[in-house]
């Protein structure tokens, strides 16, 4: 029974596959294959371009990263120096104001003294 059962399954499979072949147009399959090959070629070209760009970017980053980190350290150092300078200036200003209260003008007198036109504002 198993032999006849296997033969019947085989013949049924062949019949179904032949029916499927009649449903599909060979020209359509060929055009689909051609389009898939075209898309594959374009994707491979894009991949090559992106790989080249990544290598170039990595090379540029390697050249710039040392300068960038050195400049970052320099800016941090400058900021700490300026913070120290402004702290000293605030302390000096506080001492001057405590010793000589009229030595530095307040905001109202600064506005009265500064009568220059604002060049930023349109007239």
């Amino acid at each position: 029974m198993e032999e006849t059962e296997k033969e019947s399954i085989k013949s049924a499979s062949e019949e179904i596959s032949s029916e499927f072949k009649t449903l599909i147009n060979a020209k359509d399959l060929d055009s689909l294959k051609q389009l898939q090959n075209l898309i594959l070629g374009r994707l491979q070209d894009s991949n090559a371009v992106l790989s080249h760009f990544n290598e170039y970017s990595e090379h540029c980053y390697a050249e710039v990263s040392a300068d960038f980190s050195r400049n970052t350290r320099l800016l941090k150092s400058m900021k700490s120096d300026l913070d120290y300078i402004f702290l000293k200036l605030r302390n000096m200003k506080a001492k001057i104001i405590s010793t000589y209260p009229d030595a530095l003008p307040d905001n109202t007198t600064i506005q009265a003294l500064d009568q220059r036109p604002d060049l930023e504002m349109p007239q």
Side-chain angles (χ1 to χ4, degrees):
M1 274 271 189
E2 281 191 24
E3 191 65 35
T4 59
E5 193 174 308
K6 286 182 181 179
E7 281 186 34
S8 67
I9 291 174
K10 184 178 179 183
S11 65
S13 300
E14 289 174 357
E15 182 68 28
I16 289 176
S17 65
S18 66
E19 287 296 322
F20 273 124
K21 283 183 181 179
T22 61
L23 294 175
I24 299 172
N25 189 356
K27 288 181 182 178
D28 290 342
L29 281 178
D30 289 340
S31 68
L32 279 174
K33 285 181 186 177
Q34 198 172 19
L35 285 173
Q36 285 178 340
N37 286 332
L38 179 69
I39 291 171
L40 177 65
R42 288 182 181 173
L43 288 174
Q44 287 173 340
D45 290 345
S46 298
N47 194 18
V49 168
L50 287 173
S51 295
H52 178 68
F53 176 75
N54 284 338
E55 290 170 3
Y56 175 73
S57 297
E58 184 178 354
H59 175 71
C60 289
Y61 178 75
E63 288 180 357
V64 174
S65 65
D67 291 339
F68 186 72
S69 62
R70 187 179 67 245
N71 290 337
T72 302
R73 284 192 306 273
L74 178 66
L75 285 173
K76 286 181 180 180
S77 170
M78 289 171 63
K79 183 187 181 311
S80 65
D81 291 346
L82 285 172
D83 287 342
Y84 178 75
I85 290 170
F86 284 123
L87 177 68
K88 287 293 186 180
L89 285 174
R90 278 192 294 274
N91 290 339
M92 289 171 64
K93 184 177 178 182
K95 285 181 184 178
I96 290 173
I97 288 177
S98 67
T99 308
Y100 306 104
D102 294 335
L104 298 175
D106 58 352
N107 287 340
T108 57
T109 54
I110 289 175
Q111 288 177 358
L113 292 174
D114 188 13
Q115 296 296 322
R116 296 174 293 171
D118 190 2
L119 300 178
E120 296 286 323
M121 298 290 289
Q123 293 180 358

